Protein backbone atom coordinates (compact mmCIF):
# COMPACT_ATOMS: atom_id res chain seq x y z
CA UNK A 1 0.00 0.00 0.00
CA UNK A 2 1.34 3.43 -0.97
CA UNK A 3 0.71 6.53 1.10
CA UNK A 4 1.39 10.07 -0.02
CA UNK A 5 3.51 13.14 0.75
CA UNK A 6 2.21 16.69 1.07
CA UNK A 7 4.78 19.49 1.15
CA UNK A 8 3.09 22.08 3.36
CA UNK A 9 4.17 25.70 3.66
CA UNK A 10 3.97 26.66 7.31
CA UNK A 11 4.52 30.40 6.94
CA UNK A 12 6.82 32.50 9.12
CA UNK A 13 6.04 30.78 12.43
CA UNK A 14 2.68 31.49 14.08
CA UNK A 15 0.47 28.50 13.45
CA UNK A 16 -2.59 30.65 12.76
CA UNK A 17 -0.90 32.01 9.60
CA UNK A 18 -1.15 28.57 7.98
CA UNK A 19 -3.80 27.84 5.37
CA UNK A 20 -6.97 25.87 6.06
CA UNK A 21 -5.67 23.10 3.79
CA UNK A 22 -2.46 22.92 5.81
CA UNK A 23 -4.44 22.55 9.03
CA UNK A 24 -6.56 19.75 7.51
CA UNK A 25 -3.53 17.82 6.28
CA UNK A 26 -1.77 18.15 9.64
CA UNK A 27 -4.83 16.75 11.42
CA UNK A 28 -4.86 13.76 9.04
CA UNK A 29 -1.11 13.08 9.04
CA UNK A 30 0.46 9.84 10.20
CA UNK A 31 3.92 11.40 9.99
CA UNK A 32 5.06 15.04 10.19
CA UNK A 33 8.60 15.83 9.03
CA UNK A 34 9.33 19.34 10.25
CA UNK A 35 11.95 22.08 10.01
CA UNK A 36 13.46 24.39 12.63
CA UNK A 37 11.75 27.46 11.19
CA UNK A 38 8.02 27.83 10.69
CA UNK A 39 5.42 26.39 13.10
CA UNK A 40 7.01 24.20 15.76
CA UNK A 41 4.32 23.88 18.45
CA UNK A 42 2.25 21.42 16.43
CA UNK A 43 1.77 18.49 18.82
CA UNK A 44 -1.67 19.72 20.04
CA UNK A 45 -2.82 19.97 16.42
CA UNK A 46 -1.90 16.50 15.13
CA UNK A 47 -3.27 13.06 15.93
CA UNK A 48 -1.85 11.50 19.13
CA UNK A 49 -0.57 8.57 17.05
CA UNK A 50 1.31 10.80 14.61
CA UNK A 51 5.08 10.42 14.38
CA UNK A 52 6.92 13.78 14.44
CA UNK A 53 10.41 13.82 12.94
CA UNK A 54 12.59 16.92 13.41
CA UNK A 55 15.01 17.44 10.52
CA UNK A 56 15.71 21.12 11.22
CA UNK A 57 18.88 22.76 9.97
CA UNK A 58 21.04 25.43 11.59
CA UNK A 59 23.35 27.74 9.62
CA UNK A 60 26.35 25.61 8.67
CA UNK A 61 24.96 22.57 10.53
CA UNK A 62 22.69 20.09 8.77
CA UNK A 63 22.32 17.09 11.09
CA UNK A 64 19.92 15.38 8.67
CA UNK A 65 21.24 15.71 5.08
CA UNK A 66 18.74 16.42 2.31
CA UNK A 67 19.18 12.98 0.76
CA UNK A 68 18.23 11.41 4.08
CA UNK A 69 15.17 13.66 4.37
CA UNK A 70 14.11 12.52 0.91
CA UNK A 71 14.50 8.89 2.00
CA UNK A 72 12.38 9.47 5.11
CA UNK A 73 9.55 10.91 3.02
CA UNK A 74 9.64 8.11 0.46
CA UNK A 75 10.03 5.27 2.98
CA UNK A 76 7.15 6.43 5.20
CA UNK A 77 4.87 6.96 2.19
CA UNK A 78 5.73 3.53 0.78
CA UNK A 79 4.71 2.09 4.14
CA UNK A 80 1.23 3.49 3.52
CA UNK A 81 1.62 6.60 5.67
CA UNK A 82 0.18 10.05 5.02
CA UNK A 83 3.25 12.24 5.33
CA UNK A 84 3.25 16.00 5.85
CA UNK A 85 6.56 17.68 5.13
CA UNK A 86 6.07 20.88 7.15
CA UNK A 87 8.37 23.65 5.99
CA UNK A 88 8.87 27.24 7.10
CA UNK A 89 7.57 29.85 4.66
CA UNK A 90 6.71 28.42 1.24
CA UNK A 91 8.08 25.05 0.10
CA UNK A 92 9.39 26.47 -3.18
CA UNK A 93 11.14 29.59 -1.80
CA UNK A 94 14.62 28.39 -0.75
CA UNK A 95 12.95 25.42 0.93
CA UNK A 96 14.36 22.61 -1.25
CA UNK A 97 10.78 21.64 -1.95
CA UNK A 98 11.58 21.01 -5.60
CA UNK A 99 14.22 18.43 -4.65
CA UNK A 100 11.71 16.62 -2.45
CA UNK A 101 9.09 16.60 -5.20
CA UNK A 102 11.64 15.12 -7.62
CA UNK A 103 12.55 12.41 -5.09
CA UNK A 104 8.91 11.45 -4.55
CA UNK A 105 8.09 11.40 -8.27
CA UNK A 106 11.16 9.26 -8.99
CA UNK A 107 10.03 6.80 -6.32
CA UNK A 108 6.47 6.67 -7.63
CA UNK A 109 5.06 8.31 -4.48
CA UNK A 110 2.06 10.66 -4.87
CA UNK A 111 3.09 14.17 -3.87
CA UNK A 112 1.40 17.58 -3.71
CA UNK A 113 2.46 21.06 -2.63
CA UNK A 114 0.48 23.38 -0.36
CA UNK A 115 1.63 27.00 -0.63
CA UNK A 116 2.62 28.94 2.45
CA UNK A 117 3.17 32.57 3.36
CA UNK A 118 6.78 33.27 2.43
CA UNK A 119 8.89 35.12 4.98
CA UNK A 120 10.28 37.24 2.14
CA UNK A 121 6.99 39.15 2.17
CA UNK A 122 5.44 38.34 5.56
CA UNK A 123 8.37 39.28 7.80
CA UNK A 124 8.94 42.77 6.33
CA UNK A 125 5.15 43.18 6.45
CA UNK A 126 5.19 42.49 10.19
CA UNK A 127 7.46 45.52 10.58
CA UNK A 128 5.30 47.76 8.41
CA UNK A 129 7.56 47.38 5.37
CA UNK A 130 5.81 46.68 2.04
CA UNK A 131 8.06 45.03 -0.52
CA UNK A 132 6.26 47.05 -3.20
CA UNK A 133 4.65 50.47 -2.82
CA UNK A 134 3.21 52.75 -5.50
CA UNK A 135 5.67 55.47 -6.37
CA UNK A 136 8.46 53.87 -4.34
CA UNK A 137 9.09 50.25 -5.40
CA UNK A 138 7.53 48.54 -8.41
CA UNK A 139 9.38 45.20 -8.10
CA UNK A 140 11.19 43.05 -5.57
CA UNK A 141 14.15 40.70 -5.85
CA UNK A 142 14.61 37.77 -3.45
CA UNK A 143 18.12 36.58 -2.63
CA UNK A 144 19.55 33.59 -0.79
CA UNK A 145 22.13 35.31 1.42
CA UNK A 146 24.29 32.18 1.57
CA UNK A 147 24.91 32.30 -2.19
CA UNK A 148 27.41 34.47 -4.02
CA UNK A 149 26.07 37.85 -5.05
CA UNK A 150 25.18 37.90 -8.76
CA UNK A 151 25.06 40.69 -11.37
CA UNK A 152 21.25 40.48 -11.21
CA UNK A 153 21.32 41.18 -7.47
CA UNK A 154 23.76 44.07 -7.91
CA UNK A 155 21.42 45.53 -10.53
CA UNK A 156 18.45 45.17 -8.15
CA UNK A 157 20.35 46.81 -5.28
CA UNK A 158 21.35 49.71 -7.51
CA UNK A 159 17.82 50.27 -8.88
CA UNK A 160 15.83 52.85 -6.90
CA UNK A 161 12.55 51.18 -7.91
CA UNK A 162 13.45 47.65 -6.72
CA UNK A 163 13.30 46.20 -3.21
CA UNK A 164 15.91 43.52 -2.48
CA UNK A 165 14.92 40.97 0.17
CA UNK A 166 17.72 38.80 1.55
CA UNK A 167 16.88 35.56 3.36
CA UNK A 168 19.41 33.66 5.48
CA UNK A 169 21.82 36.56 5.12
CA UNK A 170 22.88 37.65 8.61
CA UNK A 171 26.16 35.72 8.60
CA UNK A 172 26.98 36.86 5.07
CA UNK A 173 25.99 40.51 5.64
CA UNK A 174 29.56 41.94 5.64
CA UNK A 175 30.37 40.20 2.36
CA UNK A 176 27.08 41.20 0.73
CA UNK A 177 27.48 44.83 1.76
CA UNK A 178 31.12 44.98 0.65
CA UNK A 179 30.24 43.54 -2.77
CA UNK A 180 27.36 45.98 -3.20
CA UNK A 181 29.38 49.05 -2.21
CA UNK A 182 32.29 47.96 -4.39
CA UNK A 183 29.87 47.73 -7.33
CA UNK A 184 28.73 51.29 -6.77
CA UNK A 185 25.44 50.81 -4.91
CA UNK A 186 24.85 54.04 -2.91
CA UNK A 187 25.94 53.78 0.71
CA UNK A 188 22.86 55.78 1.81
CA UNK A 189 20.47 53.11 0.47
CA UNK A 190 18.01 52.33 3.33
CA UNK A 191 18.28 48.92 4.99
CA UNK A 192 16.07 47.20 7.57
CA UNK A 193 16.71 43.91 9.36
CA UNK A 194 13.65 42.24 10.89
CA UNK A 195 14.47 39.53 13.41
CA UNK A 196 11.92 36.88 14.42
CA UNK A 197 9.09 38.42 12.43
CA UNK A 198 5.57 37.74 13.73
CA UNK A 199 6.88 36.64 17.14
CA UNK A 200 6.58 38.42 20.48
CA UNK A 201 10.29 39.26 20.51
CA UNK A 202 10.35 40.70 16.98
CA UNK A 203 12.93 43.47 16.52
CA UNK A 204 13.55 45.82 13.60
CA UNK A 205 16.85 47.58 12.99
CA UNK A 206 16.90 50.40 10.41
CA UNK A 207 20.09 51.77 8.96
CA UNK A 208 21.82 52.38 5.62
CA UNK A 209 23.90 50.13 3.42
CA UNK A 210 27.06 51.93 4.53
CA UNK A 211 26.34 51.60 8.25
CA UNK A 212 24.31 48.40 8.62
CA UNK A 213 27.23 46.07 9.33
CA UNK A 214 28.39 48.22 12.24
CA UNK A 215 24.85 48.75 13.54
CA UNK A 216 23.93 45.07 13.28
CA UNK A 217 27.11 44.07 15.10
CA UNK A 218 26.57 46.66 17.81
CA UNK A 219 23.12 45.36 18.80
CA UNK A 220 23.82 41.70 18.07
CA UNK A 221 21.47 40.93 15.18
CA UNK A 222 20.87 37.20 14.90
CA UNK A 223 19.03 34.68 12.73
CA UNK A 224 16.26 34.09 11.89
CA UNK A 225 16.05 37.47 10.20
CA UNK A 226 15.06 39.02 6.90
CA UNK A 227 17.11 41.87 5.41
CA UNK A 228 15.33 44.47 3.27
CA UNK A 229 17.28 46.89 1.08
CA UNK A 230 15.53 49.74 -0.70
CA UNK A 231 13.51 52.88 -0.16
CA UNK A 232 10.61 50.91 1.37
CA UNK A 233 12.89 50.24 4.36
CA UNK A 234 13.08 53.94 5.15
CA UNK A 235 11.92 54.75 8.70
CA UNK A 236 8.46 56.30 8.88
CA UNK A 237 7.49 55.60 5.28
CA UNK A 238 4.10 54.12 6.17
CA UNK A 239 3.76 55.00 9.84
CA UNK A 240 5.15 58.19 11.41
CA UNK A 241 8.11 57.48 13.67
CA UNK A 242 6.32 58.74 16.77
CA UNK A 243 3.49 56.26 16.21
CA UNK A 244 5.50 53.18 15.31
CA UNK A 245 6.06 51.78 18.78
CA UNK A 246 2.46 52.51 19.75
CA UNK A 247 0.98 50.89 16.63
CA UNK A 248 2.61 47.50 17.14
CA UNK A 249 3.62 47.47 13.47
CA UNK A 250 7.27 48.08 14.21
CA UNK A 251 9.68 47.58 17.10
CA UNK A 252 12.40 50.27 17.17
CA UNK A 253 15.94 49.09 17.72
CA UNK A 254 17.45 49.95 21.12
Amino acid sequence: MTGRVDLVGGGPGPIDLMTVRAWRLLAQADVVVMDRLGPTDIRPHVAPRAEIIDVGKLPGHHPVPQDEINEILVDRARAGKRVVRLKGGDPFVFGRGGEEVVACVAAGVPVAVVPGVTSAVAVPEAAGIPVTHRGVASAFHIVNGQSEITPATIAALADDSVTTVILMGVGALPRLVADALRAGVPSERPVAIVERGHHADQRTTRSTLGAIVLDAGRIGVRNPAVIVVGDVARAGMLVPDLLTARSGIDTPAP
Side-chain angles (χ1 to χ4, degrees):
M1 183 174 62
T2 301
R4 61 175 292 108
V5 174
D6 289 284
L7 274 58
V8 172
I15 200 163
D16 58 353
L17 289 179
M18 293 171 57
T19 64
V20 173
R21 184 179 300 180
W23 275 94
R24 175 173 56 80
L25 290 170
L26 266 181
Q28 297 172 348
D30 300 306
V31 182
V32 180
V33 182
M34 59 185 294
D35 284 338
R36 179 179 65 93
L37 301 178
T40 54
D41 186 19
I42 64 167
R43 174 50 78 184
H45 308 289
V46 300
R49 70 178 189 285
E51 178 187 14
I52 297 178
I53 304 173
D54 185 352
V55 296
K57 302 178 178 69
L58 291 167
H61 179 58
H62 299 174
V64 185
Q66 187 61 49
D67 287 348
E68 188 174 330
I69 294 173
N70 296 346
E71 290 176 10
I72 291 170
L73 301 178
V74 168
D75 289 348
R76 296 301 195 279
R78 280 178 165 169
K81 306 290 186 180
R82 291 170 295 186
V83 183
V84 165
R85 174 68 171 106
L86 183 61
K87 309 175 82 69
D90 183 275
F92 281 1
V93 180
F94 301 138
R96 298 194 177 184
E99 297 174 42
E100 292 167 359
V101 167
V102 168
C104 290
V105 170
V109 169
V111 60
V113 181
V114 178
V117 179
T118 174
S119 58
V121 174
V123 170
E125 198 169 62
I129 301 172
V131 294
T132 64
H133 188 69
R134 188 155 60 106
V136 180
S138 58
F140 64 99
H141 178 79
I142 304 175
V143 181
N144 179 345
Q146 297 177 354
S147 301
E148 293 300 317
I149 195 166
T150 65
T153 296
I154 291 294
L157 289 166
D159 190 333
D160 292 342
S161 67
V162 176
T163 302
T164 302
V165 181
I166 304 168
L167 306 181
M168 302 175 288
V170 170
L173 185 61
R175 172 178 57 81
L176 293 168
V177 168
D179 287 349
L181 293 174
R182 189 162 45 247
V185 179
S187 62
E188 65 272 16
R189 180 77 79 224
V191 178
I193 302 180
V194 186
E195 300 169 78
R196 293 192 56 77
H198 289 283
H199 291 78
D201 56 348
Q202 174 181 313
R203 178 173 65 170
T204 303
T205 302
R206 296 183 190 266
S207 184
T208 63
L209 193 65
I212 188 60
V213 173
L214 182 61
D215 289 343
R218 176 176 56 84
I219 68 170
V221 167
R222 301 181 64 184
N223 279 312
V226 172
I227 303 167
V228 184
V229 184
D231 284 346
V232 295
R234 189 175 65 248
M237 193 195 77
L238 291 188
V239 182
D241 292 342
L242 292 177
L243 298 179
T244 358
R246 207 177 310 158
S247 70
I249 290 179
D250 196 3
T251 306

